[in-house]
Amino acid sequence: MEIVKGYVEEIVFRNVDNGYCVIYVNANDNLLTAVGNFPPIEEGEYLEMKGEYVQNKKFGEQFNVSECKIVSPDSLESVCKYLASGLFYGVGEVTARNIVDAFGVQALDVIEKYPNKVAQIKGLSLKKAMAIHEAYVVHKEQQATIVYLQNFEISLNLALKIYKKYGDGTKRIIEKNPYQMVEDVEGVGFITADKIALNMGFDQFSRFRVSAAIGHVLREGANKNGHTYLLREEIVREVCRLLKMDSKEYSFMVESIILDNVVMGKIIIVNNDGEEKVMLTKMYENENGIAKSIADMMLGAEPMDLNFDVDIRDFQKSHNITLHEGQIEAVKNCVKYGVNVITGGPGTGKTTIIKCIIYLLKKQYAKVLLCAPTGRASKRLAEATGEDAKTIHRLLDLDFTGGKGHFNYNEDTRLNADVVIVDEVSMCDEYVFYALVRAIKKGARLILVGDKDQLPSVGAGNILSDIISCDVIPVNYLTQIYRQSDDSLIIENAHKVNRGLMPTIDNRSKDFFFDAQADTQIMLKNCIDLTTKRLPAFAKISPKDIQVLCPMKKGILGVENINVEMQKALNPPSPEKGEIRSGSNIFRVGDKIIHTVNNYQMEWVSPYGVSGSGVFNGDIGYIIEVNKSQPSMKVEFDDGKIATYKHENFDELALAYAISIHKSQGSEFPAVIITVSGGNPFLMTRNLLYTAITRAKSFVVIEGSKESVAKMVKNDYTAKRNTLLCDFIKENCKKVGIE
């Protein structure tokens, strides 16, 4: 075993999950290649490595590292290189040399302990000396903390996230209560925190542990199934199962800790329909807050003096269209009541009604704001209406000034709007929707537009369905199909599937095709061939305009496997393309990607100089730049915003040549390829197939067997979501005299 010391000249490759690196190390002016698992190192840092030299057939001699630690540089040259490495803002080669000339190999010790002495060097102010001192201390503390966290087999990515949250207090917080990370840090689940806690010697029956398990069960219900509450007895049962405790022996203890959490304000128990329904406090505040806001809007909408018959006639004439009776009734309701719902499938005239409403309101000089849950959906709304439309987050002006996210438009600073129109409401989760309704001023109207038969939101809740079900809010159902050319089958087949009928798949139309195939390997090959050759040639479109939609994530025809194979075909490796590995993913310049969680703090810029924060679940874009040495990626999204991802955020990205049908909600693509094969009956549903078909603007190709399509059409299973919004709306409306 040999010991080698030297500074990091270049990081050639780094796996951000396990810390495996290939680096060039300058050891006494000899450049060597070192490979192995390293602590969180940066270029310019000084390392002490134990290992042995090996001969690699492809890359020649390498130093295979078995142990490595970051140490203080022990020569004048190495100290100078370290200081000038870029780790310290404003310190270049000249300043580094001046510091080393003044303090020799003790320069770093002086920077840490006596920054005032550094300020005595010519050209260095006390302010700059303190900045160098702080950068050094923070960097040193960060490294020590991350090494500490990695002892618990936490990935480098996750360790960086934890440190970013807690800073130099990380070790103290974790030693006190590692379960706190579950609530505070995105990506730290109960299982990870529990493993750390048990390794640290926490009692398996600790109240910290049981309390964390209760929160975990509630959050899992929300994140995986969209539930906003669980029954009390269900929580007790799930906690005992999770912690491997005998339910008969320990149910009383779990019950008592549930009550402790109620006292601490973490959860709320609602007695409803003779059952005890347990909610995270935030979920309760969201649902009850939405209900109260809706009741207030229903009661307080200011009347409008409109000449409906004349104004609607003028609209029809100016737009050369004829509204049918149901559409006219919907328009009248939307300006009559405080809250209205317009629901219908594709081609039923929802956009036409929105345009008519805007036309009528503008004649009254009313201020109208349009929004949708996602960037893609808001862009579609703007294109369809010719009006400005924003995401809900942009409309409410999401802001992270001070490090904590908040909406600048809220209950204290209301939106300047007489009417707010929200499209694709089925995609809204409760957090975002509550933020919106509490920012609408008194007397204003809210118009909700969506398709009740679409999949519910990825996040918790079932906003559109619950509002419709409460039987208090006026609902305008649109059933007649208007937008359909004679030789188009997309809209017709979508409605057939929604009604439980087999779609027409005779391949006689110009836009709806069925590729009959039962063999999954051949289906995979066909998906690639359709994307790279057949559809681009037939439809005169780019492969970028084609989206593969899958019911499942796993398996040969799952999202993950198709993405691997599509990447090989559409964006193979090349010396000209930077790439970086994160877990099982390889991200490469030119790759199509999707953002998989809501990150409200992610900063972005646009080509037009606009900047902001917030990248959201379902946003799709392309990788335009990769930096391997300082692991980062630049992604340009479809709406033009460019975000830079550091390695702690790589796990928020996934390849998007294929995406799940759930992730496609609110999006529209020129062409979609839908994979339909045998799978879990809870996934292979009519609702899922309907949603997939409605994502296509111009072309649909179903890849699968007739038997599999028929099974999906017949399967009308819809997963029930536990929510209380409907009940809360009824209660709050009753309080103000609306029933």
Side-chain angles (χ1 to χ4, degrees):
M1 193 76 70
E2 294 189 51
I3 296 177
V4 173
K5 291 183 179 180
Y7 62 86
V8 181
E9 187 85 47
E10 182 182 349
I11 300 171
V12 181
F13 170 82
R14 171 161 32 198
N15 186 317
V16 294
D17 288 310
N18 57 23
Y20 180 84
C21 297
V22 179
I23 63 175
Y24 293 149
V25 177
N26 190 323
N28 297 321
D29 291 327
N30 293 316
L31 198 66
L32 61 89
T33 303
V35 299
N37 290 79
F38 290 82
I41 57 174
E42 304 291 346
E43 291 178 1
E45 289 187 305
Y46 201 70
L47 307 179
E48 181 180 298
M49 304 174 292
K50 288 184 180 179
E52 57 184 6
Y53 287 96
V54 297
Q55 197 69 28
N56 185 288
K57 290 182 180 180
K58 186 175 181 180
F59 299 106
E61 187 179 65
Q62 296 179 333
F63 189 70
N64 196 352
V65 178
S66 56
E67 294 180 38
C68 176
K69 59 182 179 180
I70 301 167
V71 296
S72 295
D74 59 1
S75 71
L76 294 176
E77 189 61 29
S78 59
V79 173
C80 195
K81 286 276 189 184
Y82 178 62
L83 286 173
S85 66
L87 291 171
F88 309 99
Y89 179 76
V91 179
E93 290 184 11
V94 174
T95 303
R97 178 60 61 187
N98 289 340
I99 295 173
V100 172
D101 287 346
F103 305 112
V105 293
Q106 302 301 316
L108 296 178
D109 192 55
V110 175
I111 288 171
E112 182 177 9
K113 297 176 182 175
Y114 312 106
N116 58 312
K117 290 185 178 182
V118 179
Q120 296 171 11
I121 296 172
K122 187 179 179 181
L124 283 179
S125 64
L126 180 60
K127 184 179 179 181
K128 190 169 183 179
M130 290 303 299
I132 296 170
H133 160 78
E134 288 171 9
Y136 178 75
V137 171
V138 168
H139 186 65
K140 190 174 178 180
E141 180 63 39
Q142 181 188 37
Q143 286 179 328
T145 303
I146 290 172
V147 170
Y148 165 76
L149 291 170
Q150 289 182 306
N151 290 330
F152 299 110
E153 298 180 6
I154 291 175
S155 72
L156 178 57
N157 271 356
L158 195 52
L160 286 164
K161 283 188 177 181
I162 295 169
Y163 181 81
K164 188 175 180 180
K165 176 65 181 179
Y166 298 133
D168 58 9
T170 300
K171 190 175 179 180
R172 173 177 49 80
I173 291 169
I174 289 175
E175 287 178 347
K176 182 181 178 182
N177 180 15
Y179 298 104
Q180 187 65 39
M181 292 187 293
V182 179
E183 297 182 22
D184 294 344
V185 184
E186 181 73 38
V188 178
F190 174 81
I191 303 303
T192 299
D194 194 47
K195 186 177 179 181
I196 293 170
L198 295 177
N199 284 340
M200 292 172 62
F202 269 66
D203 184 353
Q204 64 172 322
F205 302 118
S206 136
R207 297 185 81 84
F208 278 140
R209 188 176 189 234
V210 177
S211 181
I214 292 167
H216 170 75
V217 168
L218 283 166
R219 280 188 290 273
E220 282 287 280
N223 296 334
K224 289 188 174 181
N225 300 308
H227 300 320
T228 62
Y229 76 82
L230 293 176
L231 296 178
R232 184 167 171 168
E233 59 266 28
E234 186 180 1
I235 294 174
V236 173
R237 184 175 63 251
E238 283 300 304
V239 167
C240 289
R241 183 193 61 79
L242 179 66
L243 303 184
K244 296 181 172 58
M245 301 189 309
D246 184 89
S247 59
K248 292 181 180 178
E249 186 176 353
Y250 291 102
S251 60
F252 180 78
M253 181 178 110
V254 177
E255 290 270 10
S256 79
I257 296 174
I258 287 175
L259 294 176
D260 285 351
N261 277 275
V262 173
V263 174
M264 290 187 290
K266 290 185 175 183
I267 61 177
I268 287 176
I269 297 176
V270 179
N271 290 297
N272 177 271
D273 292 336
E275 296 177 312
E276 290 187 319
K277 298 173 179 179
V278 183
M279 308 179 76
L280 292 166
T281 299
K282 190 63 183 174
M283 292 287 186
Y284 173 83
E285 290 172 349
N286 288 344
E287 287 202 325
N288 200 44
I290 291 168
K292 188 177 185 306
S293 295
I294 285 176
D296 290 344
M297 280 187 279
M298 285 292 293
L299 185 69
E302 295 179 356
M304 288 188 175
D305 185 20
L306 295 174
N307 191 340
F308 279 112
D309 293 336
V310 174
D311 291 342
I312 289 175
R313 190 163 58 245
D314 288 347
F315 171 79
Q316 293 180 114
K317 187 177 179 180
S318 63
H319 289 74
N320 195 28
I321 59 172
T322 301
L323 299 179
H324 108 308
E325 188 177 332
Q327 290 176 308
I328 293 173
E329 187 65 24
V331 172
K332 289 181 177 180
N333 285 339
C334 287
V335 294
K336 181 180 179 182
Y337 299 106
V339 183
N340 254 274
V341 175
I342 300 169
T343 184
T348 55
K350 296 189 296 294
T351 303
T352 302
I353 291 173
I354 294 173
K355 290 166 74 173
C356 185
I357 292 167
I358 295 170
Y359 179 87
L360 266 62
L361 293 172
K362 279 188 173 181
K363 294 190 74 171
Q364 297 295 311
Y365 302 100
K367 176 72 172 176
V368 184
L369 293 178
L370 280 71
C371 61
T374 67
R376 280 177 169 259
S378 64
K379 187 179 179 182
R380 285 173 53 203
L381 181 61
E383 290 171 348
T385 61
E387 303 287 334
D388 184 40
K390 297 178 179 177
T391 64
I392 296 174
H393 299 88
R394 288 284 306 277
L395 183 71
L396 299 178
D397 193 17
L398 179 65
D399 188 3
F400 272 88
T401 305
K404 190 174 180 181
H406 62 278
F407 293 109
N408 285 326
Y409 289 102
N410 48 50
E411 61 269 33
D412 297 319
T413 306
R414 308 275 180 147
L415 292 165
N416 180 25
D418 302 301
V419 180
V420 176
I421 300 175
V422 191
D423 198 16
E424 297 284 0
V425 181
S426 62
M427 294 181 63
C428 283
D429 63 34
E430 291 196 337
Y431 167 72
V432 173
F433 194 72
Y434 180 38
L436 175 65
V437 294
R438 69 185 177 186
I440 296 174
K441 70 181 184 182
K442 292 182 179 180
R445 285 166 169 77
L446 176 65
I447 300 172
L448 306 173
V449 185
D451 185 348
K452 66 178 180 61
D453 296 314
Q454 293 283 352
L455 296 169
S457 61
V458 175
N462 203 0
I463 298 293
L464 182 60
S465 179
D466 284 348
I467 290 175
I468 291 173
S469 301
C470 73
D471 291 327
V472 179
I473 310 303
V475 180
N476 305 279
Y477 297 94
L478 305 178
T479 57
Q480 188 169 329
I481 300 172
Y482 298 94
R483 178 170 55 85
Q484 180 180 327
S485 60
D486 293 337
D487 52 353
S488 171
L489 277 181
I490 295 176
I491 291 175
E492 181 182 322
N493 276 342
H495 285 275
K496 277 187 173 181
V497 169
N498 198 33
R499 295 196 303 269
L501 303 174
M502 194 69 176
T504 302
I505 48 177
D506 56 12
N507 291 340
R508 294 180 181 178
S509 76
K510 66 176 183 179
D511 61 1
F512 200 103
F513 306 98
F514 179 67
D515 196 7
Q517 186 56 248
D519 188 293
T520 53
Q521 290 288 358
I522 296 175
M523 288 169 67
L524 174 61
K525 183 178 178 298
N526 287 347
C527 283
I528 296 170
D529 194 44
L530 280 162
T531 305
T532 57
K533 298 175 185 176
R534 290 163 57 188
L535 264 176
F538 173 79
K540 310 300 181 197
I541 59 175
S542 165
K544 289 185 175 182
D545 295 325
I546 302 167
Q547 185 62 60
V548 179
L549 301 179
C550 310
M552 301 165 293
K553 291 183 179 179
K554 303 293 184 180
I556 293 172
L557 289 176
V559 169
E560 294 174 0
N561 186 58
I562 292 179
N563 270 321
V564 170
E565 298 302 320
M566 293 283 275
Q567 185 188 47
K568 292 177 185 176
L570 287 167
N571 193 32
S574 164
E576 288 78 37
K577 298 176 186 174
E579 65 176 52
I580 197 164
R581 183 181 291 275
S582 177
S584 60
N585 286 316
I586 294 174
F587 293 116
R588 186 175 296 133
V589 171
D591 274 336
K592 184 179 185 179
I593 58 86
I594 185 169
H595 189 89
T596 59
V597 297
N598 288 331
N599 186 333
Y600 299 100
Q601 299 186 51
M602 177 72 72
E603 294 181 350
W604 53 263
V605 297
S606 78
Y608 312 105
V610 179
S611 61
S613 57
V615 181
F616 306 109
N617 193 352
D619 286 354
I620 293 175
Y622 287 85
I623 298 172
I624 59 174
E625 186 180 306
V626 167
N627 185 331
K628 288 196 293 185
S629 62
Q630 303 282 336
S632 64
M633 292 183 284
K634 282 188 179 179
V635 175
E636 183 174 4
F637 290 95
D638 287 350
D639 57 3
K641 62 189 180 191
I642 298 172
T644 299
Y645 287 74
K646 295 181 179 178
H647 46 110
E648 62 262 34
N649 299 115
F650 286 178
D651 58 352
E652 297 175 8
L653 294 176
L655 294 174
Y657 299 102
I659 61 174
S660 70
I661 296 171
H662 280 88
K663 290 287 188 187
S664 74
Q665 293 177 83
S667 296
E668 197 172 58
F669 309 96
V672 301
I673 300 168
I674 307 167
T675 60
V676 178
S677 63
N680 189 327
F682 295 114
L683 288 175
M684 307 299 288
T685 65
R686 177 191 304 172
N687 187 226
L688 203 72
L689 182 59
Y690 169 73
T691 299
I693 293 171
T694 58
R695 299 307 89 201
K697 288 174 66 176
S698 304
F699 299 94
V700 171
V701 180
I702 295 180
E703 188 71 35
S705 67
K706 281 188 180 181
E707 291 75 17
S708 295
V709 174
K711 283 182 181 178
M712 288 190 78
V713 171
K714 289 179 182 178
N715 185 3
D716 62 353
Y717 170 80
T718 304
K720 182 183 180 300
R721 291 193 166 189
N722 296 342
T723 64
L724 285 173
L725 179 59
C726 179
D727 291 330
F728 287 160
I729 292 174
K730 289 179 180 178
E731 289 173 15
N732 279 275
C733 283
K734 190 175 182 179
K735 287 178 184 177
V736 297
I738 302 171
E739 294 187 54

